Amino acid sequence: MTAPRPDADPPYLRIAADIRRQIATGALRPGDRVPSARQITRDWGVAVATATKALAALRQAGLTRVVPGVGTVVSGAPTAAPTAKGLTRTEIVTVATNLADAEGFAAVSLRRVAAELGIATATLRRHVTSEDELILHMIDAAFASAPLPSAPPQGWRLRLEIAGRRLWTLFRRHPWLAPTLSLTRPQPSVNGAKYLEWVLAALDGTPLSLHDRMYIHLMLFGYVRGLATTLEPEAQAERETGMTGNEWMDSGFGDAAIPPDVPLFEQLVAMEDFELDVDRLFDFGLARLLDGLAVFITRTPRSAPRP
């Protein structure tokens, strides 16, 4: 039996070994940024999932760490890791959010965030006592990063469209956010409450009661959130397979057989100009939702009292 070739190692281990050599030889010094996942996919010609695993292996080995506002750097940076005295909750939330954005929400834990910051978990708990509290701060910071206009335009339809699009942009930026938010047991986020207030006020001048306005908010939020819950699983699938959703569909639905007696579906699969674009789907659905609301508001008498 012949010995396995050195290049028999998985690609992510070979990439991690190459970056490790650069650190050992001084080509990458403490505090220097290591290649990002995007750069690795470009330079090594691998999928995002492989690049992410390589970076994770370096972090687990203690060779790199995440610096808020900078990225992943070689450990032992001249800028020392935050201490209990200098650490801020904003830094903690930033690191947790970056982790969730890059690796999915399942990667976030107090222990993992503390490791990324280079501190003990007990030190982290002095600022964030539990994972539930951390999640709440992450949600609040996300909403704070995309405030609605302080001077809204005229007209309920344009205002609701802005609210829906702002929420969609937020979910696209943070794929973990939509499945984390609860429709029936909403988290007490200060900036989330400000978003709700803006939507309710968007219907000023209409005959709708506060009761109806709240249902409209829930309907709009439920539509945007429902579509956005597909984003994180899709991002995970793309990291694992290296294929986008449309590339997977073009490959034959992962080699799945098309069932018989579905002629329209067969025609759709055979079409070369159709792509499942979630942004276009969002635009289409939002427009139809607002069309329906326009009919409802027009038909609602101004004198009609509602519970």
Side-chain angles (χ1 to χ4, degrees), residues 35-212:
S36 65
R38 180 176 297 179
Q39 184 178 345
I40 290 173
T41 60
R42 182 178 65 247
D43 294 347
W44 274 270
V46 296
V48 175
T50 301
T52 301
K53 289 178 68 175
L55 292 174
L58 292 169
R59 285 197 302 270
Q60 291 168 3
L63 295 172
T64 62
R65 63 187 180 89
V66 174
V67 176
V70 177
T72 302
V73 302
V74 178
S75 294
T79 303
T83 62
K85 182 178 179 180
L87 185 64
T88 66
R89 192 170 66 193
T90 298
E91 290 174 316
I92 295 170
V93 172
T94 299
V95 168
T97 300
N98 290 342
L99 274 174
D101 290 345
E103 301 181 27
F105 191 72
V108 178
S109 67
L110 293 185
R111 178 178 296 181
R112 176 67 187 279
V113 173
E116 296 290 346
L117 286 165
I119 61 176
T121 305
T123 301
L124 184 69
R125 287 185 181 275
R126 299 176 192 173
H127 301 269
V128 180
T129 59
S130 67
E131 290 185 5
D132 286 342
E133 182 185 347
L134 176 60
I135 293 168
L136 178 60
H137 290 314
M138 290 170 65
I139 292 171
D140 203 48
F143 273 98
S145 70
L148 289 159
S150 57
Q154 295 294 319
W156 67 264
R157 178 166 183 142
L158 182 54
R159 293 184 185 186
L160 290 187
E161 182 178 353
I162 289 173
R165 291 190 180 282
R166 190 64 54 90
L167 193 60
W168 178 249
T169 298
L170 197 56
F171 289 156
R172 288 290 266 161
R173 185 182 303 163
H174 305 295
W176 54 270
L177 183 57
T180 303
L181 292 171
S182 174
L183 181 69
T184 56
R185 300 187 182 189
Q187 294 89 340
S189 162
V190 172
N191 289 295
K194 291 179 180 179
Y195 175 88
L196 165 61
E197 180 71 16
W198 200 93
V199 174
L200 296 177
L203 292 158
D204 285 350
T206 70
L208 301 182
S209 67
L210 193 57
H211 177 279
D212 286 338

Side-chain angles (χ1 to χ4, degrees), residues 270-292:
M271 293 173 60
E272 297 182 356
D273 59 345
F274 178 81
E275 288 191 355
L276 181 56
D277 185 323
V278 291
D279 292 307
R280 290 183 62 184
L281 177 58
F282 166 76
D283 289 340
F284 181 86
L286 180 63
R288 303 294 80 75
L289 186 151
L290 295 175
D291 289 344

Side-chain angles (χ1 to χ4, degrees), residues 206-221:
T206 70
L208 301 182
S209 67
L210 193 57
H211 177 279
D212 286 338
R213 295 187 195 193
M214 185 61 182
Y215 269 107
I216 287 174
H217 158 70
L218 293 172
M219 181 173 64
L220 177 63
F221 176 82

Side-chain angles (χ1 to χ4, degrees), residues 168 171 175-181 222-234:
W168 178 249
F171 289 156
W176 54 270
L177 183 57
T180 303
L181 292 171
Y223 165 67
V224 183
R225 175 184 176 273
L227 185 58
T229 55
T230 65
L231 298 176
E232 187 177 36
E234 172 57 26

